[in-house]
Amino acid sequence: MSLERLRASLADAGLTLPLEGVTEQREAAAAAVRQIDDYIRPRLADLDAPLLAVVGGSTGSGKSTIVNALLGVATTRVGVIRPTTRQPILVHSPVDAGWFASDRILPGLARVRGRVSAPGTAASAAGDTPEAARISELMLLEHEAVPRSLAIIDAPDIDSVADENRALAAQLLAAADLWLFVTTANRYADAVPWRLLEGAAARSITVGVVLNRVPPGAADEVLPDLQSMLAERGLADAPVFTIEEQRLDELGMLPATAVAGPRDWLEGIAGDRASRARIAARTLGGAITDLDRRVAHIADARQQQLDWLDGAEAAVDAHYQAAIDAVDAATQDGAL
């Protein structure tokens, strides 16, 4: 019940006055409500529920290509026009369908059941959906290649040109038990991914990193630098999987061997109940700790609002009393 009271307080935080920094704190309160709904509440209710792995990264990093290679079939759109991932796709094992059909997680996203299309094409929904509506929908796909007790979401770009895509990517990452973060050899030092990775470290999220599109022979130079940057930000334990630059086949697919590392990592986690429970508990604990920090900042912003109102009331009272005193002084000698 304390979590529900906290959620209600955050949903109506009372940040109505346009004071400095209030816009950011309003957004922080809304984000905190979403994370309670999307992740903290459902994970508290069932630590044994399947883990949610979100594949995230920058524009053009190859997230969708890697997801397709992990599954061995094209489930998401790949192309040169950005953004390509306009609708988030959650792929799960057929035996786990019941966990994701309801609004247990990500209740703000409508569910649409998808189907794997013909070879070389992306997954499609059972019916036509207007493009504008897709960003608020979560497409659910069943596929035998996904191990039991684990689901994978291909998220929009974290630095998308579309504001709603960036917001959705952040929401999905906040709802994840673990991240598979994709970057490239020429963009691994970009600022935006590192801000998110630093946030992941602060919330104790389990992270695996895919260093994609590495030119032949460049791994010896790039990989140590990336690993050093991860260690500096508290992610020294994050495994790094290197995928060299290579031609895709006629269906636009990477060979299965290219993603053997991340696939084995995900399957190893999914197949070990103790490992799943440890990751879920660790991520949940980190999310709660992070929520506590954010709530403290929101509470400070609320107190500033109350202090401003108290100050305004005191100022009005002082001016009113001064006016009364002036009238009293002017009428003391009867001149009025």
Side-chain angles (χ1 to χ4, degrees):
M1 291 302 294
S2 59
L3 180 63
E4 298 307 317
R5 289 196 298 270
L6 174 61
R7 186 199 180 282
S9 297
L10 289 167
D12 185 17
L15 303 176
T16 56
L17 298 173
L19 304 182
E20 182 180 359
V22 72
T23 299
E24 291 78 4
Q25 292 306 321
R26 288 172 185 161
E27 292 172 353
V33 170
R34 284 195 301 271
Q35 190 171 38
I36 290 173
D37 292 345
D38 293 346
Y39 181 74
I40 294 176
R41 180 196 283 151
R43 184 51 75 190
L44 273 174
D46 199 333
L47 273 176
D48 288 330
L51 296 182
L52 186 60
V54 172
V55 182
S58 301
T59 300
S61 60
K63 302 184 305 299
S64 296
T65 301
I66 288 170
V67 171
N68 291 343
L70 287 170
L71 301 175
V73 65
T75 61
T76 60
R77 188 186 323 183
V78 178
V80 295
I81 299 175
R82 305 298 173 191
T84 51
T85 306
R86 293 181 174 90
Q87 180 182 33
I89 296 176
L90 186 153
V91 194
H92 59 79
S93 169
V95 298
D96 290 331
W99 288 106
F100 302 105
S102 70
D103 61 356
R104 182 185 64 87
I105 61 168
L106 298 165
L109 298 179
R111 267 53 173 175
V112 55
R113 177 59 63 180
R115 59 175 178 266
V116 177
S117 303
T121 61
S124 60
D128 292 334
T129 304
E131 187 69 33
R134 292 180 184 173
I135 198 69
S136 61
E137 291 181 342
L138 180 64
M139 183 189 288
L140 302 178
L141 287 178
E142 295 182 3
H143 201 280
E144 295 286 352
V146 182
R148 184 171 185 166
S149 300
L150 177 76
I152 299 172
I153 287 187
D154 183 17
D157 302 329
I158 60 172
D159 55 356
S160 172
V161 295
D163 293 342
E164 63 271 19
N165 276 20
R166 293 197 305 275
L168 181 58
Q171 180 184 358
L172 294 174
L173 288 167
D177 293 292
L178 66 154
W179 293 5
L180 187 62
F181 208 82
V182 183
T183 187
T184 62
N186 63 347
R187 296 197 61 186
Y188 71 91
D190 286 1
V192 173
W194 285 107
R195 284 198 296 270
L196 287 172
L197 287 169
E198 287 168 358
R203 301 201 305 273
S204 302
I205 294 176
T206 299
V207 179
V209 179
V210 175
L211 182 61
N212 194 22
R213 296 175 179 161
V214 179
D220 290 343
E221 178 181 355
V222 175
L223 187 56
D225 190 41
L226 173 58
Q227 290 172 325
S228 176
M229 294 177 71
L230 288 168
E232 290 171 3
R233 290 160 175 82
L235 292 168
D237 294 335
V240 179
F241 309 104
T242 302
I243 300 177
E244 287 195 349
E245 184 74 55
Q246 55 197 287
R247 293 178 63 86
L248 305 180
D249 66 17
E250 63 277 7
L251 299 179
M253 299 282 291
L254 280 169
T257 54
V259 294
R263 183 193 300 109
D264 290 346
W265 181 65
L266 291 172
E267 289 179 349
I269 291 172
D272 184 344
R273 183 174 182 179
S275 179
R276 294 198 312 272
R278 184 170 58 252
I279 287 172
R282 177 184 173 185
T283 304
L284 177 60
I288 292 173
T289 299
D290 182 64
L291 178 65
D292 184 60
R293 285 194 295 264
R294 285 188 285 169
V295 167
H297 292 304
I298 296 166
D300 288 343
R302 171 62 174 161
Q303 189 59 52
Q304 289 174 7
Q305 301 256 322
L306 296 175
D307 292 344
W308 191 95
L309 289 172
D310 289 343
E313 185 177 2
V316 169
D317 289 345
H319 282 291
Y320 187 77
Q321 187 60 49
I324 293 176
D325 292 344
V327 171
D328 286 345
T331 57
Q332 288 295 320
D333 57 3
L336 183 62

